[in-house]
Amino acid sequence: MSTTPPPQATTDDKRPATAAHAPDDGAFAWLRALGPRGRRAFAGAFGGYALDSYDYFTLPLSMVALTAYFGLDNGQTGLFTTVTLVVSAIGGAVAGVVADRIGRVRALMITVITYAVFTVACGFAPNYETLLVFRALQGLGFGGEWAVGAILVAEYASARHRGRTLGAIQSSWAVGWGLAAIVYTLVFSFFDEDVAWRVMFWTGALPALLVVWMRRRVKDAPQATAAREQSATKGSFPAIFKGPLLRTTLFAGLLSTGVQGGYYTLATWVPTYLKSDRGLSVVGTGGYLSFLISGAFLGYLTGGYLTDRLGRRRNIWLFALLSAFCVLAYANIPDGANTLLLVLGFPLGFCMSAIFSGFGSFLSELYPTAVRGTGQGFTYNTGRAVGAVFPTTVGFLADSWGVGGALVFGALGYGIAALALLGLPETRGKELE
């Protein structure tokens, strides 16, 4: 069952509004169309995903300090990301089932609390093995937050604006990434590296404040709740592997694997590449990342708009090609050309983020309400788990190829994503059932 569209706008004399004043026109029509409850749901999902991003990037930004503190090699540091993403697949799949059974908002709060608690715990780790365990447990919440938040907002959004609405949610990842880069620059400027990495993890307690607000202000979409409660198959893993949903689940999982394999390769290793291979200082690394993150923020917003205009599949096709090209260009910039490195950071961030903008709407539209959480949580996070092989592979290749040379491996992921689209239908304009 689809969500009920907002009432038709009227003029002051109570006649229907003209097309020029229709409620679905204008740059922020997607936000107005959500209604008051939908906008609160949007704020909760936006904040949850931004802080999810913040807590995730506490590790990549601290990687050089952690490597020195614990005496790690590149393979061991790459394992941090792999473990996080593999466990996040479990957390995301479980969170999807939980969202289908107890509701989107309650599941969202559980995921936020989980990743916040274990991010803080990472700051107290006495050794590499303990930090690896805490980071894995952080992945349980990290994996579930996006899928649950995206579904919550998708069920409020109109079919016409769903791509832009979910693209705006995706943009919060860049907001959290930017906040993490700012805090990293400050913390590592004022504290010795042996302490600074711990302080970074301790700041991961911020999401707890969001949960307090969400508990009072955010509710599930009523129509989606009714449809979910009336179904006998809600929250069922077998249901997404039966009939026509089997093909959808297999190809959606492959699509997610390709996109996230490419993305997390870059998200994990670019900070290390800038500092170790390019010899940038802490402040210099933060400055270069600001170009990458600015591009990412605009990429999310632009990709959300294009996924409504071009369609879900065409948007992903376009940015898979451009992302692969940007990765190859960025990793092969000659020594001494750091100005070019700075400039290319913007299109790299733009393309690798714009491809994500259609995910929230696309995956939501591929599954019916009763198993939407299960389907989206499973496919998105299976992609995270399998895609997690990419950062670790780069870590091992970096010993012989250098970090910059190994980064080109990430381009392979975008090729996989392009092939996966051959097995999925276009869903632009589809009403949620």
Side-chain angles (χ1 to χ4, degrees), residues 113-388:
I113 290 171
T114 301
Y115 73 66
V117 167
F118 287 109
T119 298
V120 173
C122 286
F124 293 98
N127 52 48
Y128 170 73
E129 292 76 15
T130 304
L131 180 58
L132 194 64
V133 171
F134 285 154
R135 185 64 177 182
L137 293 173
Q138 188 253 16
L140 289 174
F142 168 70
E145 196 286 331
W146 179 84
V148 177
I151 294 166
L152 170 66
V153 177
E155 291 174 343
Y156 275 107
S158 67
R160 175 168 181 168
H161 299 127
R162 193 172 294 120
R164 275 164 282 188
T165 305
L166 273 297
I169 291 290
Q170 289 277 182
S171 73
S172 66
W173 180 266
V175 173
W177 189 5
L179 179 61
I182 292 170
V183 174
Y184 157 79
T185 302
L186 293 174
V187 168
F188 276 78
S189 295
F190 287 101
F191 292 91
D192 183 80
E193 283 196 350
D194 288 351
V195 176
W197 69 266
R198 295 187 185 276
V199 176
M200 277 295 297
F201 283 120
W202 292 337
T203 63
L206 290 171
L209 299 176
L210 176 68
V211 173
V212 175
W213 177 81
M214 287 176 58
R215 184 179 179 185
R216 298 181 178 182
R217 302 288 292 169
V218 182
K219 307 293 181 184
D220 288 3
Q223 293 88 345
T225 299
R228 186 176 68 250
E229 292 176 348
Q230 291 167 9
S231 174
T233 59
K234 59 184 178 181
S236 168
F237 279 123
I240 65 173
F241 289 97
K242 292 180 179 178
L245 288 182
L246 172 60
R247 178 187 176 93
T248 296
T249 298
L250 293 177
F251 279 97
L254 187 61
L255 172 67
S256 182
T257 296
V259 172
Q260 297 195 79
Y263 181 87
Y264 284 109
T265 295
L266 297 171
T268 301
W269 286 105
V270 164
T272 299
Y273 169 64
L274 292 174
K275 194 167 184 181
S276 62
D277 283 30
R278 310 301 300 205
L280 299 179
S281 65
V282 168
V283 174
T285 298
Y288 276 67
L289 286 175
S290 69
F291 273 73
L292 190 70
I293 295 167
S294 297
F297 180 75
L298 293 178
Y300 286 126
L301 296 179
T302 303
Y305 174 78
L306 290 178
T307 199
D308 281 335
R309 292 299 299 266
L310 302 177
R312 310 327 188 201
R313 295 173 78 249
R314 287 181 179 176
N315 183 70
I316 295 173
W317 271 108
L318 173 64
F319 287 107
L321 176 63
L322 293 176
S323 295
F325 175 79
C326 286
V327 171
L328 294 174
Y330 195 77
N332 287 285
I333 294 172
D335 291 339
N338 282 355
T339 299
L340 182 59
L341 186 75
L342 180 71
V343 172
L344 280 182
F346 187 90
L348 175 65
F350 184 94
C351 293
M352 71 188 236
S353 299
I355 194 172
F356 269 107
S357 293
F359 262 57
S361 53
F362 196 24
L363 295 181
S364 293
E365 292 159 354
L366 289 172
Y367 290 95
T369 298
V371 293
R372 183 167 297 122
T374 305
Q376 186 157 336
F378 178 84
T379 55
Y380 189 81
N381 288 287
T382 295
R384 267 183 176 164
V386 181

Side-chain angles (χ1 to χ4, degrees), residues 102-118:
I102 70 172
R104 315 318 193 194
V105 174
R106 291 171 68 187
L108 184 60
M109 289 191 293
I110 291 171
T111 64
V112 172
I113 290 171
T114 301
Y115 73 66
V117 167
F118 287 109

